[in-house]
Amino acid sequence: MIFSKLKHLLPAILICSVLAGCNTNSSYTAVYGSDGPVVIYPDYKEVTIPANIAPLNFHYATKGAKNARTTFSLGDKSVTIKGLEVEWPVRKWKKFLSGMGGQTITVNSDVTIDGKSISETWHIYVSSDPVDGYLTYRLIEPSYQMFHELSIMERCVENFDEIAICDYQHTNNACMNCHIHAQQRGDLSLYY
């Protein structure tokens, strides 16, 4: 008797659960951002970067944030970017970091959150050691079920240039799961 009642109640519970999960009025402050009164995503607070890295673009992820003003100071250089989306032109970023390996960028964030002005200062440490300019990775959907959209990509970490080295459509539907670099050389790759 109980099971027959549950059989009719279970679909209603599932539908209510799905609808509750679709609620857009979230009480979360941020999605995978930094800690503190000013939340940014990706979290670049107190990180060390190589001097040849691409611009560290981010956005303010605190709910209710507006009127953001971000000032980057390094040595005698200072750059201010207004808005919730902090995006550097590559040339301007490269000029800002030029010759500054081993130094510290001070970042001042001023933002209005729910009508209240909030300020926070944090740092980005610039290493004097450069990073290799390119990385290679496999681009596939997170579920790993869309193998026909698989590709092997190469990205320049000094800017945002990206090229497809090989993709599934160019291999006659052959497997592309494995790839290696001979003697750790980026210019000599083997796919099988």
Side-chain angles (χ1 to χ4, degrees):
M1 185 74 155
I2 293 175
F3 292 114
S4 68
K5 288 182 181 180
L6 284 177
K7 185 171 98 174
H8 296 291
L9 189 57
L10 188 58
I13 291 171
L14 288 173
I15 290 172
C16 289
S17 298
V18 168
L19 291 175
C22 294
N23 186 359
T24 59
N25 296 328
S26 174
S27 61
Y28 296 111
T29 302
V31 178
Y32 305 113
S34 59
D35 290 329
V38 177
V39 179
I40 63 169
Y41 178 81
D43 181 5
Y44 291 127
K45 293 181 181 178
E46 307 301 327
V47 297
T48 301
I49 62 167
N52 63 329
I53 197 74
L56 299 182
N57 297 330
F58 61 89
H59 69 271
Y60 287 91
T62 307
K63 184 178 179 185
K66 58 184 176 180
N67 301 328
R69 180 181 173 99
T70 311
T71 303
F72 297 82
S73 302
L74 179 60
D76 61 351
K77 301 176 185 179
S78 181
V79 173
T80 299
I81 299 174
K82 295 179 182 178
L84 296 176
E85 301 292 327
V86 178
E87 293 186 18
W88 284 81
V90 174
R91 283 187 189 166
K92 191 172 186 178
W93 174 258
K94 294 293 184 184
K95 185 176 179 182
F96 182 74
L97 284 184
S98 178
M100 295 297 180
Q103 296 195 36
T104 301
I105 301 171
T106 300
V107 184
N108 292 308
S109 296
D110 296 307
V111 63
T112 303
I113 301 171
D114 294 327
K116 184 178 176 183
S117 182
I118 307 261
S119 295
E120 185 177 356
T121 300
W122 42 281
H123 302 93
I124 300 171
Y125 307 99
V126 183
S127 172
S128 53
D129 297 325
V131 68
D132 290 340
Y134 292 88
L135 61 88
T136 305
Y137 60 94
R138 180 176 47 178
L139 181 62
I140 188 170
E141 293 292 323
S143 65
Y144 297 99
Q145 295 175 355
M146 305 292 285
F147 62 90
H148 64 280
E149 294 179 16
L150 174 81
S151 57
I152 306 298
M153 305 294 292
E154 180 178 73
R155 176 167 178 211
C156 178
V157 298
E158 296 179 0
N159 53 42
F160 299 104
D161 291 349
E162 184 178 56
I163 62 167
I165 295 174
C166 190
D167 63 26
Y168 190 81
Q169 297 166 343
H170 292 96
T171 61
N172 283 335
N173 300 331
C175 178
M176 285 186 19
N177 262 353
C178 300
H179 58 281
I180 60 169
H181 293 281
Q183 300 171 342
Q184 299 178 358
R185 289 177 38 198
D187 63 334
L188 184 56
S189 297
L190 172 66
Y191 301 92
Y192 56 88

